[in-house]
Amino acid sequence: MMKTLTPDERIAQLMVAAAYSNRGPEHQQEMLKLIQEHKVGGLIFFQGGPGREASLTNEYQAASKVPLIIAMDAEWGLGMRLDSTISYPYQMTLGAIQDNNLLYEMGTEVARQARRAGIHVNFAPVVDVNNNPNNPVINYRSFGENKKNVAQKGIAYMKGMQDHGVLTTAKHFPGHGDTGTDSHYALPQISHPRERLDTLELYPFRELINAGIGGIMVAHLNIPALDTSRVPSTLSKNIITSLLKKELKFEGLTVTDAMNMKGVTAGNEPGVVDRNALVAGNDVLEFTENIPLAIAEIRKAVKQGLITQQEIDNRCRKMLAVKQWVGLNRYRPVQIARIAEELNTPQAKLLSRKLTEASLTVLNNERNLMPLQALDTLRIAAVSFGTDKATPFQQTLSLYTDVKYFTVSKDATTAQLDELRTQLAKYNLVIGAVHDDGIRPTNRLTLSAQVQEFVSVLAAKPNVIMAVFKNPYVLDKLKDIELADGLVVTYQDNVNAQELAAQLIFGGISANGRMPVSVGTKYMAGYGLDVQGGIRFKYTLPEDAGMRSDILFGRIDSLVAQALNAKAIPGCEVFVAKDKKVVMYKAYGYQDYSDTVKVKRTDLYDLASVTKVSTGLPALMKLYDEKKYTLDNTLADYLPKFKGSNKADLPLKDILTHQARFQPWIAFWKNTLRKNGSYRWHTIKGDSSKNYPIKLKQNMYLHHKYPDKIVKAIRKSPLLKEKKYVYSDFFFILAPRVVESMIKEDFYPYIQRNFYAPLGATTVTYNPFQKFPKSRIVPTEHDFAFRHEPIHGRVHDEGAVMMGGISGHAGLFANANDLAKLMQMYLNMGEYGGKRYISAETLKEFSRTQFPELNNRRALGFDKPNLEYAGENNNTAKGASADSFGHTGFTGTFVWMDPQTGLVYIFLSNRVNPTRDNTRLYRLNTRTKIQQVMYDALIKSPL
């Protein structure tokens, strides 16, 4: 290829022109002219989009005599320049990470994306040591102020890229970190002596050269200690040829910083400045303003003897060698199809979260406040400063327990702040968040003086956690921020940072980040506290738990769409967790078929028979732990009225496994009706009173003794002749009374105090209409037989509503996320959130099949998979292990836990809306088909 190039074309190979994919045909023609007429060596793409950039790349490559090197400033990934692509954390954020292997992973992934987009050279990493908090151009783009940390992370990032086919360029030589001037607008001066430059600024460049960096970018700096002529370093033969190439023995590609920056163009004519940069020793000129003029000036320089043709040829040959190294000798056009999808893979997105998670830095954690414990003792307020709407940070906090939101705009008035101060007095824990409204995390505060003062006063109060979603240098501008009992810094403000910081506070994830820079005298570089998480749910992507997003979301979305289209359900919630990692939590459809109110993840569903394993059963397991009964005890031991009945001697073990010969159910509500369908006058009244306190609906009240009549009906009911598995509601209707006989207190407060409140399961409740607006409660059946109205806010089951809404067989409501906390506790064999609720031995006993020899699959209270797989009619997915357990509910609910795979699955729906006669959900087998998708989505380990 070298032999085919004219002298001018060899000069042109050393120039990289600026290209954009967000500009019109005029720019496109301009680029084609540079390529076809002047034979430039490459292009650096700036703003645009991946599909447009790839299409233009193909067009430009087709027009070029020599394949073009395609470069990009992609310090934090393609998202730095291209829309619809991933932006990884800034380098200062990465500087907080302790595991440099993660930076190698990032380099590998950035290289994959770059090559997929047709990009061969990344002008990264930045290895400037940022030891000037007021640096306006490097700052958050630096790994920090510790030269060794900067070098190690630069090497890891570089190797990840170069090992995977992308040439990297360390910048900005010989070190742009200690300046308060932006070289885009003026020429910064670095006044340090040579000894200081050798030991600090030059250190990372030496290390990266020794590690095999392919390129180095030279900055526009005035450094008298290295060149007394005070010319910009880009034009200095002393700095480029003598220092970089000879003394440091760098033989790779030396590239200028952009030649349109004022730091180099001020006082230098176009073309001449490019000539001087090449004469100084640079191999490649980036962003030359006038390429034809630059070629002409360089040609003159050869004639004048300022540079030899041999030197030009050597640099051209080096450029061609780079092109060969990146594979341009085997050039293939970029494939446009699916480029956006293939750039934004789940693995690529997960890596961004992993990097952010690893960077989170805890600076204060008084009394081990984080992760939060004893949620039932906390009244939590979350205050976000610098925003006027609820944030992802606040919304994620609410996944763990009830949290009240407050927002404070950056210019909040005195009256607004006074009102907030009054409101916060009601809470015993405040979580504050300082947000950044800028595009980049600069070291400035935009909060008004009085808002800053409010933040300072708040931070100094006890039981306050502050999360700072800003550049760490801002900590020095926030008075008394260091007094906060808990202090977390995330370095930048985005959805990942907000969600993960909230998860850290509640123990969903751990933290071990370290400050990459010092903040005045408050915190030194390298400081940070470890916080151990993993005690509660982590909300993440499927790949983080060893599952495939495409299978999980694609197939579940399809199955739910099928159910919605068939009108098997109006809507639903689907929740999937693996190994305490929530990989899917999604709401679908509408609350009913009127298509007006969309289901939200926070909506409460009637759990129906899932109540059995969510109320009476946890109480019974806890009491079993406390040796309040044995499984050989009988019903009469706890309910004296059952003495002398046909059920007096039935052991609890038989009862809990549904083989005690109980009838399946009784339609208790029918006994309230006369033959003509009207209500019996002594049973139901239109007004409440002392004798009629149980509200069934508006203007419909049940006699206070009717629950006793239900118990009496159960006591008097005949037993089935054969002892075998027959599912029955009877015992769980009685369960609250059985439990109360052992605890000497009311059933529901006991369950609430011992389970739901400490779990943070704040939506798990009976009679939700008493606590939540109807808009958050999903309606069930249109009851034309008993209550004669659509059921909304009260339990669907007639027997449960006649027990006052509180029963052990039905009546419980919840959203999927809160119910999952209880189910995860079961899967953890009795532990969740750092608290043990039930012993592992008890949970293992209650969740195992008790009587397989009697062809009874049931555990104690829990359901189990069929003993033999029954195909489409099986009660669980084929993939569910024999150790798995759970329960289903009449309203279309399903919960299941599998200890072998660590899976928790919850499906909540209201298939009984508008009528229980709608059995399409069963016929479609939607719930178990979705369950099987979870197993299909598991990433199988290679043999």
Side-chain angles (χ1 to χ4, degrees), residues 244-262:
L244 178 59
K245 293 191 170 183
K246 293 182 179 177
E247 185 177 333
L248 300 184
K249 298 181 172 55
F250 179 63
E251 297 178 344
L253 205 64
T254 304
V255 184
T256 68
D257 206 344
M259 294 300 291
N260 68 334
M261 293 166 63
K262 294 293 189 290

Side-chain angles (χ1 to χ4, degrees), residues 763-789:
T763 65
V764 182
T765 187
Y766 287 109
N767 293 320
F769 65 90
Q770 296 175 348
K771 302 177 184 178
F772 297 95
K774 269 191 173 183
S775 60
R776 282 190 61 185
I777 306 169
V778 177
T780 52
E781 187 173 14
H782 294 195
D783 180 358
F784 296 111
F786 179 44
R787 282 169 279 183
H788 302 286
E789 70 173 12

